[in-house]
Amino acid sequence: MNDGGDAAVEAVCDALADEDCRAILRALDEPLTAAEVASACDLPQTSTYRKLTKLTDAGLVAERTEVRTDGHHTTRFVRDAASVVVAFDDGQSFGFSVEVVREDEPPDRRLEQLWTRISEEL
């Protein structure tokens, strides 16, 4: 997400400002069900679902459905970001942009993004 508008920037910043959301991001080193997240983070299940929704809406967490042959499918949550980059703009009105770097982005793509940001600064 490169800026992506005020709502997208606000969603990411709001999620990262939430202590419980940060705890969930730390816990998601591996795919977990909501119940496993609640247990790992010592949160009530209802709060866990609310926080997972906030993180999903911000693009920091993704839902994965594990299809099982017995018909009881399981939803697991995964961290969907390797990092978040906040850049301050020096334009006419002071602002900033937020970029969520996906874990599945290859290193050459991340390097390309870095060089693009550097060249914009020059």
Side-chain angles (χ1 to χ4, degrees):
M1 164 193 340
N2 225 1
D3 184 22
D6 290 341
V9 169
E10 188 172 326
V12 172
C13 292
D14 186 43
L16 293 175
D18 187 311
E19 183 178 336
D20 292 335
C21 287
R22 291 192 312 270
I24 290 170
L25 287 170
R26 284 189 298 273
L28 289 176
D29 284 336
E30 59 183 306
L32 299 174
T33 65
E36 292 168 333
V37 170
S39 176
C41 297
D42 196 27
L43 294 170
Q45 192 109 10
T46 54
S47 296
T48 301
Y49 278 108
R50 202 171 338 104
K51 304 297 181 173
L52 286 168
T53 298
K54 180 188 278 193
L55 288 163
T56 301
D57 290 348
L60 300 172
V61 168
E63 291 182 41
R64 303 284 188 255
T65 301
E66 182 180 292
V67 179
R68 296 174 19 187
T69 56
D70 64 4
H72 294 91
H73 308 312
T74 303
T75 299
R76 296 194 179 274
F77 295 88
V78 297
R79 187 174 44 231
D80 197 29
S83 62
V84 175
V85 178
V86 178
F88 295 100
D89 301 325
D90 288 332
Q92 293 176 345
S93 63
F94 182 77
F96 62 94
S97 61
V98 174
E99 179 183 354
V100 176
V101 180
R102 303 283 168 225
E103 290 194 20
D104 59 351
E105 287 182 343
D108 59 329
R109 173 71 179 128
R110 292 194 303 261
L111 183 60
E112 176 186 328
Q113 291 170 343
L114 174 65
W115 282 115
T116 299
R117 285 195 304 270
I118 290 172
S119 66
E120 289 171 355
E121 295 293 320
L122 299 177

mmCIF file of all heavy atoms in Angstrom, residues 70-107:
data_model
loop_
_atom_site.group_PDB
_atom_site.id
_atom_site.type_symbol
_atom_site.label_atom_id
_atom_site.label_comp_id
_atom_site.label_asym_id
_atom_site.label_seq_id
_atom_site.Cartn_x
_atom_site.Cartn_y
_atom_site.Cartn_z
ATOM 1 N N ASP A 70 -13.248 -33.945 5.931
ATOM 2 C CA ASP A 70 -14.430 -34.246 6.740
ATOM 3 C C ASP A 70 -15.497 -33.158 6.651
ATOM 4 O O ASP A 70 -16.555 -33.251 7.255
ATOM 5 C CB ASP A 70 -14.053 -34.506 8.196
ATOM 6 C CG ASP A 70 -13.450 -33.285 8.881
ATOM 7 O OD1 ASP A 70 -13.387 -32.203 8.276
ATOM 8 O OD2 ASP A 70 -13.033 -33.424 10.043
ATOM 9 N N GLY A 71 -15.218 -32.097 5.871
ATOM 10 C CA GLY A 71 -16.190 -31.025 5.681
ATOM 11 C C GLY A 71 -16.131 -29.928 6.721
ATOM 12 O O GLY A 71 -16.793 -28.907 6.592
ATOM 13 N N HIS A 72 -15.360 -30.102 7.757
ATOM 14 C CA HIS A 72 -15.200 -29.080 8.786
ATOM 15 C C HIS A 72 -13.967 -28.237 8.457
ATOM 16 O O HIS A 72 -12.858 -28.582 8.854
ATOM 17 C CB HIS A 72 -15.069 -29.723 10.179
ATOM 18 C CG HIS A 72 -16.301 -30.422 10.614
ATOM 19 N ND1 HIS A 72 -16.526 -31.756 10.361
ATOM 20 C CD2 HIS A 72 -17.392 -29.957 11.260
ATOM 21 C CE1 HIS A 72 -17.699 -32.097 10.847
ATOM 22 N NE2 HIS A 72 -18.255 -31.024 11.404
ATOM 23 N N HIS A 73 -14.182 -27.196 7.706
ATOM 24 C CA HIS A 73 -13.077 -26.337 7.287
ATOM 25 C C HIS A 73 -12.642 -25.444 8.452
ATOM 26 O O HIS A 73 -13.443 -25.074 9.299
ATOM 27 C CB HIS A 73 -13.476 -25.495 6.090
ATOM 28 C CG HIS A 73 -14.041 -26.316 4.965
ATOM 29 N ND1 HIS A 73 -13.438 -27.458 4.489
ATOM 30 C CD2 HIS A 73 -15.165 -26.161 4.236
ATOM 31 C CE1 HIS A 73 -14.152 -27.964 3.509
ATOM 32 N NE2 HIS A 73 -15.228 -27.205 3.331
ATOM 33 N N THR A 74 -11.376 -25.112 8.463
ATOM 34 C CA THR A 74 -10.810 -24.306 9.534
ATOM 35 C C THR A 74 -10.244 -23.018 8.946
ATOM 36 O O THR A 74 -9.542 -23.043 7.938
ATOM 37 C CB THR A 74 -9.672 -25.073 10.242
ATOM 38 O OG1 THR A 74 -10.183 -26.306 10.716
ATOM 39 C CG2 THR A 74 -9.113 -24.270 11.390
ATOM 40 N N THR A 75 -10.565 -21.904 9.586
ATOM 41 C CA THR A 75 -9.992 -20.626 9.185
ATOM 42 C C THR A 75 -8.790 -20.347 10.061
ATOM 43 O O THR A 75 -8.864 -20.410 11.289
ATOM 44 C CB THR A 75 -11.014 -19.487 9.324
ATOM 45 O OG1 THR A 75 -12.120 -19.764 8.467
ATOM 46 C CG2 THR A 75 -10.401 -18.157 8.936
ATOM 47 N N ARG A 76 -7.675 -20.079 9.408
ATOM 48 C CA ARG A 76 -6.450 -19.717 10.120
ATOM 49 C C ARG A 76 -6.055 -18.304 9.685
ATOM 50 O O ARG A 76 -6.313 -17.898 8.563
ATOM 51 C CB ARG A 76 -5.333 -20.703 9.813
ATOM 52 C CG ARG A 76 -5.653 -22.105 10.318
ATOM 53 C CD ARG A 76 -4.424 -23.002 10.311
ATOM 54 N NE ARG A 76 -4.740 -24.309 10.823
ATOM 55 C CZ ARG A 76 -4.727 -24.639 12.111
ATOM 56 N NH1 ARG A 76 -4.386 -23.748 13.005
ATOM 57 N NH2 ARG A 76 -5.028 -25.867 12.500
ATOM 58 N N PHE A 77 -5.430 -17.619 10.581
ATOM 59 C CA PHE A 77 -4.997 -16.255 10.319
ATOM 60 C C PHE A 77 -3.480 -16.232 10.203
ATOM 61 O O PHE A 77 -2.781 -16.920 10.946
ATOM 62 C CB PHE A 77 -5.470 -15.331 11.443
ATOM 63 C CG PHE A 77 -6.966 -15.221 11.492
ATOM 64 C CD1 PHE A 77 -7.720 -16.118 12.234
ATOM 65 C CD2 PHE A 77 -7.618 -14.241 10.768
ATOM 66 C CE1 PHE A 77 -9.099 -16.047 12.262
ATOM 67 C CE2 PHE A 77 -8.998 -14.155 10.786
ATOM 68 C CZ PHE A 77 -9.747 -15.061 11.533
ATOM 69 N N VAL A 78 -2.989 -15.456 9.236
ATOM 70 C CA VAL A 78 -1.549 -15.339 9.003
ATOM 71 C C VAL A 78 -1.175 -13.860 8.934
ATOM 72 O O VAL A 78 -1.954 -13.033 8.471
ATOM 73 C CB VAL A 78 -1.105 -16.053 7.698
ATOM 74 C CG1 VAL A 78 -1.359 -17.540 7.775
ATOM 75 C CG2 VAL A 78 -1.791 -15.462 6.487
ATOM 76 N N ARG A 79 0.017 -13.570 9.416
ATOM 77 C CA ARG A 79 0.543 -12.213 9.252
ATOM 78 C C ARG A 79 0.809 -12.026 7.763
ATOM 79 O O ARG A 79 1.453 -12.849 7.128
ATOM 80 C CB ARG A 79 1.819 -12.037 10.081
ATOM 81 C CG ARG A 79 2.324 -10.615 10.098
ATOM 82 C CD ARG A 79 3.504 -10.415 11.031
ATOM 83 N NE ARG A 79 4.485 -11.475 10.900
ATOM 84 C CZ ARG A 79 4.984 -12.164 11.917
ATOM 85 N NH1 ARG A 79 4.602 -11.912 13.135
ATOM 86 N NH2 ARG A 79 5.876 -13.113 11.725
ATOM 87 N N ASP A 80 0.314 -10.942 7.201
ATOM 88 C CA ASP A 80 0.414 -10.717 5.760
ATOM 89 C C ASP A 80 1.323 -9.536 5.435
ATOM 90 O O ASP A 80 1.186 -8.907 4.395
ATOM 91 C CB ASP A 80 -0.987 -10.491 5.182
ATOM 92 C CG ASP A 80 -1.049 -10.649 3.674
ATOM 93 O OD1 ASP A 80 -0.248 -11.429 3.129
ATOM 94 O OD2 ASP A 80 -1.885 -9.983 3.047
ATOM 95 N N ALA A 81 2.212 -9.227 6.338
ATOM 96 C CA ALA A 81 3.132 -8.108 6.115
ATOM 97 C C ALA A 81 4.476 -8.431 6.748
ATOM 98 O O ALA A 81 4.531 -9.005 7.834
ATOM 99 C CB ALA A 81 2.571 -6.827 6.721
ATOM 100 N N ALA A 82 5.532 -8.087 6.038
ATOM 101 C CA ALA A 82 6.877 -8.262 6.581
ATOM 102 C C ALA A 82 7.298 -7.015 7.350
ATOM 103 O O ALA A 82 8.019 -7.091 8.338
ATOM 104 C CB ALA A 82 7.869 -8.546 5.459
ATOM 105 N N SER A 83 6.808 -5.868 6.878
ATOM 106 C CA SER A 83 7.139 -4.614 7.542
ATOM 107 C C SER A 83 6.176 -3.525 7.092
ATOM 108 O O SER A 83 5.454 -3.677 6.114
ATOM 109 C CB SER A 83 8.582 -4.197 7.240
ATOM 110 O OG SER A 83 8.750 -3.970 5.858
ATOM 111 N N VAL A 84 6.200 -2.433 7.824
ATOM 112 C CA VAL A 84 5.415 -1.253 7.482
ATOM 113 C C VAL A 84 6.391 -0.088 7.441
ATOM 114 O O VAL A 84 7.159 0.126 8.380
ATOM 115 C CB VAL A 84 4.306 -0.981 8.517
ATOM 116 C CG1 VAL A 84 3.581 0.323 8.210
ATOM 117 C CG2 VAL A 84 3.323 -2.148 8.563
ATOM 118 N N VAL A 85 6.366 0.643 6.333
ATOM 119 C CA VAL A 85 7.271 1.776 6.151
ATOM 120 C C VAL A 85 6.441 3.056 6.163
ATOM 121 O O VAL A 85 5.476 3.185 5.415
ATOM 122 C CB VAL A 85 8.030 1.667 4.808
ATOM 123 C CG1 VAL A 85 8.931 2.871 4.610
ATOM 124 C CG2 VAL A 85 8.809 0.368 4.738
ATOM 125 N N VAL A 86 6.820 3.982 7.034
ATOM 126 C CA VAL A 86 6.170 5.282 7.100
ATOM 127 C C VAL A 86 7.166 6.306 6.579
ATOM 128 O O VAL A 86 8.294 6.386 7.067
ATOM 129 C CB VAL A 86 5.757 5.633 8.551
ATOM 130 C CG1 VAL A 86 5.135 7.019 8.612
ATOM 131 C CG2 VAL A 86 4.803 4.582 9.091
ATOM 132 N N ALA A 87 6.741 7.056 5.577
ATOM 133 C CA ALA A 87 7.613 8.078 4.992
ATOM 134 C C ALA A 87 6.958 9.443 5.146
ATOM 135 O O ALA A 87 5.757 9.601 4.879
ATOM 136 C CB ALA A 87 7.862 7.774 3.516
ATOM 137 N N PHE A 88 7.720 10.414 5.596
ATOM 138 C CA PHE A 88 7.211 11.771 5.742
ATOM 139 C C PHE A 88 7.438 12.523 4.445
ATOM 140 O O PHE A 88 8.498 12.451 3.829
ATOM 141 C CB PHE A 88 7.909 12.487 6.901
ATOM 142 C CG PHE A 88 7.595 11.858 8.222
ATOM 143 C CD1 PHE A 88 8.491 10.991 8.827
ATOM 144 C CD2 PHE A 88 6.389 12.117 8.845
ATOM 145 C CE1 PHE A 88 8.196 10.398 10.039
ATOM 146 C CE2 PHE A 88 6.084 11.519 10.061
ATOM 147 C CZ PHE A 88 6.983 10.662 10.654
ATOM 148 N N ASP A 89 6.415 13.270 4.023
ATOM 149 C CA ASP A 89 6.479 14.047 2.791
ATOM 150 C C ASP A 89 6.818 15.494 3.139
ATOM 151 O O ASP A 89 6.322 16.044 4.118
ATOM 152 C CB ASP A 89 5.137 14.003 2.058
ATOM 153 C CG ASP A 89 4.728 12.583 1.699
ATOM 154 O OD1 ASP A 89 5.618 11.779 1.390
ATOM 155 O OD2 ASP A 89 3.519 12.298 1.735
ATOM 156 N N ASP A 90 7.663 16.099 2.308
ATOM 157 C CA ASP A 90 8.047 17.489 2.529
ATOM 158 C C ASP A 90 7.332 18.431 1.578
ATOM 159 O O ASP A 90 7.793 19.526 1.330
ATOM 160 C CB ASP A 90 9.566 17.664 2.337
ATOM 161 C CG ASP A 90 10.346 17.041 3.479
ATOM 162 O OD1 ASP A 90 9.800 16.972 4.585
ATOM 163 O OD2 ASP A 90 11.488 16.627 3.253
ATOM 164 N N GLY A 91 6.209 18.019 1.038
ATOM 165 C CA GLY A 91 5.465 18.843 0.088
ATOM 166 C C GLY A 91 4.909 20.093 0.725
ATOM 167 O O GLY A 91 5.274 20.476 1.832
ATOM 168 N N GLN A 92 3.977 20.724 0.016
ATOM 169 C CA GLN A 92 3.385 21.967 0.508
ATOM 170 C C GLN A 92 2.650 21.759 1.824
ATOM 171 O O GLN A 92 2.673 22.608 2.695
ATOM 172 C CB GLN A 92 2.440 22.538 -0.536
ATOM 173 C CG GLN A 92 3.159 23.005 -1.786
ATOM 174 C CD GLN A 92 2.184 23.476 -2.843
ATOM 175 O OE1 GLN A 92 0.996 23.217 -2.772
ATOM 176 N NE2 GLN A 92 2.705 24.180 -3.831
ATOM 177 N N SER A 93 1.967 20.639 1.951
ATOM 178 C CA SER A 93 1.313 20.344 3.223
ATOM 179 C C SER A 93 1.985 19.105 3.810
ATOM 180 O O SER A 93 2.080 18.073 3.171
ATOM 181 C CB SER A 93 -0.174 20.085 3.018
ATOM 182 O OG SER A 93 -0.378 18.950 2.216
ATOM 183 N N PHE A 94 2.473 19.256 5.026
ATOM 184 C CA PHE A 94 3.191 18.158 5.671
ATOM 185 C C PHE A 94 2.276 16.960 5.787
ATOM 186 O O PHE A 94 1.162 17.041 6.260
ATOM 187 C CB PHE A 94 3.702 18.586 7.052
ATOM 188 C CG PHE A 94 4.480 17.521 7.745
ATOM 189 C CD1 PHE A 94 5.784 17.262 7.371
ATOM 190 C CD2 PHE A 94 3.916 16.747 8.735
ATOM 191 C CE1 PHE A 94 6.523 16.268 8.001
ATOM 192 C CE2 PHE A 94 4.634 15.753 9.367
ATOM 193 C CZ PHE A 94 5.947 15.520 8.991
ATOM 194 N N GLY A 95 2.746 15.825 5.345
ATOM 195 C CA GLY A 95 1.962 14.603 5.426
ATOM 196 C C GLY A 95 2.888 13.417 5.456
ATOM 197 O O GLY A 95 4.103 13.552 5.595
ATOM 198 N N PHE A 96 2.308 12.249 5.327
ATOM 199 C CA PHE A 96 3.117 11.043 5.296
ATOM 200 C C PHE A 96 2.376 9.979 4.515
ATOM 201 O O PHE A 96 1.183 10.069 4.266
ATOM 202 C CB PHE A 96 3.483 10.568 6.699
ATOM 203 C CG PHE A 96 2.308 10.202 7.556
ATOM 204 C CD1 PHE A 96 1.869 8.882 7.629
ATOM 205 C CD2 PHE A 96 1.652 11.159 8.297
ATOM 206 C CE1 PHE A 96 0.788 8.543 8.418
ATOM 207 C CE2 PHE A 96 0.578 10.824 9.093
ATOM 208 C CZ PHE A 96 0.145 9.508 9.154
ATOM 209 N N SER A 97 3.135 8.981 4.118
ATOM 210 C CA SER A 97 2.556 7.843 3.417
ATOM 211 C C SER A 97 2.953 6.578 4.169
ATOM 212 O O SER A 97 3.932 6.562 4.903
ATOM 213 C CB SER A 97 3.042 7.781 1.967
ATOM 214 O OG SER A 97 4.432 7.631 1.919
ATOM 215 N N VAL A 98 2.149 5.547 3.990
ATOM 216 C CA VAL A 98 2.378 4.272 4.648
ATOM 217 C C VAL A 98 2.431 3.199 3.586
ATOM 218 O O VAL A 98 1.584 3.154 2.699
ATOM 219 C CB VAL A 98 1.256 3.956 5.662
ATOM 220 C CG1 VAL A 98 1.405 2.566 6.232
ATOM 221 C CG2 VAL A 98 1.241 4.991 6.775
ATOM 222 N N GLU A 99 3.434 2.345 3.672
ATOM 223 C CA GLU A 99 3.563 1.227 2.740
ATOM 224 C C GLU A 99 3.678 -0.067 3.545
ATOM 225 O O GLU A 99 4.521 -0.186 4.417
ATOM 226 C CB GLU A 99 4.805 1.396 1.864
ATOM 227 C CG GLU A 99 4.994 0.258 0.893
ATOM 228 C CD GLU A 99 6.262 0.402 0.079
ATOM 229 O OE1 GLU A 99 6.944 1.439 0.192
ATOM 230 O OE2 GLU A 99 6.565 -0.536 -0.667
ATOM 231 N N VAL A 100 2.788 -1.005 3.234
ATOM 232 C CA VAL A 100 2.842 -2.318 3.850
ATOM 233 C C VAL A 100 3.619 -3.218 2.907
ATOM 234 O O VAL A 100 3.235 -3.393 1.753
ATOM 235 C CB VAL A 100 1.431 -2.895 4.095
ATOM 236 C CG1 VAL A 100 1.516 -4.307 4.650
ATOM 237 C CG2 VAL A 100 0.652 -1.985 5.039
ATOM 238 N N VAL A 101 4.733 -3.754 3.377
ATOM 239 C CA VAL A 101 5.575 -4.634 2.567
ATOM 240 C C VAL A 101 5.149 -6.067 2.841
ATOM 241 O O VAL A 101 5.166 -6.521 3.987
ATOM 242 C CB VAL A 101 7.075 -4.435 2.890
ATOM 243 C CG1 VAL A 101 7.934 -5.366 2.048
ATOM 244 C CG2 VAL A 101 7.468 -2.978 2.680
ATOM 245 N N ARG A 102 4.730 -6.757 1.806
ATOM 246 C CA ARG A 102 4.246 -8.132 1.935
ATOM 247 C C ARG A 102 5.406 -9.103 2.110
ATOM 248 O O ARG A 102 6.496 -8.901 1.564
ATOM 249 C CB ARG A 102 3.452 -8.551 0.697
ATOM 250 C CG ARG A 102 2.298 -7.656 0.400
ATOM 251 C CD ARG A 102 1.139 -7.922 1.332
ATOM 252 N NE ARG A 102 0.169 -6.852 1.188
ATOM 253 C CZ ARG A 102 -0.409 -6.245 2.192
ATOM 254 N NH1 ARG A 102 -0.143 -6.604 3.411
ATOM 255 N NH2 ARG A 102 -1.266 -5.290 2.004
ATOM 256 N N GLU A 103 5.162 -10.160 2.861
ATOM 257 C CA GLU A 103 6.191 -11.170 3.079
ATOM 258 C C GLU A 103 6.533 -11.920 1.806
ATOM 259 O O GLU A 103 7.645 -12.390 1.645
ATOM 260 C CB GLU A 103 5.739 -12.150 4.169
ATOM 261 C CG GLU A 103 5.711 -11.498 5.521
ATOM 262 C CD GLU A 103 5.611 -12.476 6.652
ATOM 263 O OE1 GLU A 103 5.933 -13.653 6.463
ATOM 264 O OE2 GLU A 103 5.211 -12.043 7.735
ATOM 265 N N ASP A 104 5.564 -12.023 0.897
ATOM 266 C CA ASP A 104 5.805 -12.786 -0.315
ATOM 267 C C ASP A 104 6.464 -11.968 -1.422
ATOM 268 O O ASP A 104 6.689 -12.465 -2.506
ATOM 269 C CB ASP A 104 4.509 -13.423 -0.827
ATOM 270 C CG ASP A 104 3.419 -12.402 -1.127
ATOM 271 O OD1 ASP A 104 3.579 -11.219 -0.781
ATOM 272 O OD2 ASP A 104 2.393 -12.795 -1.700
ATOM 273 N N GLU A 105 6.772 -10.694 -1.132
ATOM 274 C CA GLU A 105 7.461 -9.887 -2.123
ATOM 275 C C GLU A 105 8.927 -10.313 -2.165
ATOM 276 O O GLU A 105 9.592 -10.370 -1.135
ATOM 277 C CB GLU A 105 7.364 -8.403 -1.792
ATOM 278 C CG GLU A 105 5.979 -7.844 -2.037
ATOM 279 C CD GLU A 105 5.897 -6.359 -1.743
ATOM 280 O OE1 GLU A 105 6.795 -5.820 -1.059
ATOM 281 O OE2 GLU A 105 4.938 -5.742 -2.193
ATOM 282 N N PRO A 106 9.432 -10.617 -3.346
ATOM 283 C CA PRO A 106 10.827 -11.033 -3.447
ATOM 284 C C PRO A 106 11.774 -9.884 -3.095
ATOM 285 O O PRO A 106 11.408 -8.710 -3.217
ATOM 286 C CB PRO A 106 10.969 -11.450 -4.907
ATOM 287 C CG PRO A 106 9.841 -10.810 -5.624
ATOM 288 C CD PRO A 106 8.743 -10.589 -4.629
ATOM 289 N N PRO A 107 12.960 -10.229 -2.646
ATOM 290 C CA PRO A 107 13.920 -9.186 -2.250
ATOM 291 C C PRO A 107 14.187 -8.163 -3.351
ATOM 292 O O PRO A 107 14.353 -6.979 -3.052
ATOM 293 C CB PRO A 107 15.192 -9.979 -1.917
ATOM 294 C CG PRO A 107 14.717 -11.342 -1.591
ATOM 295 C CD PRO A 107 13.487 -11.563 -2.431
#
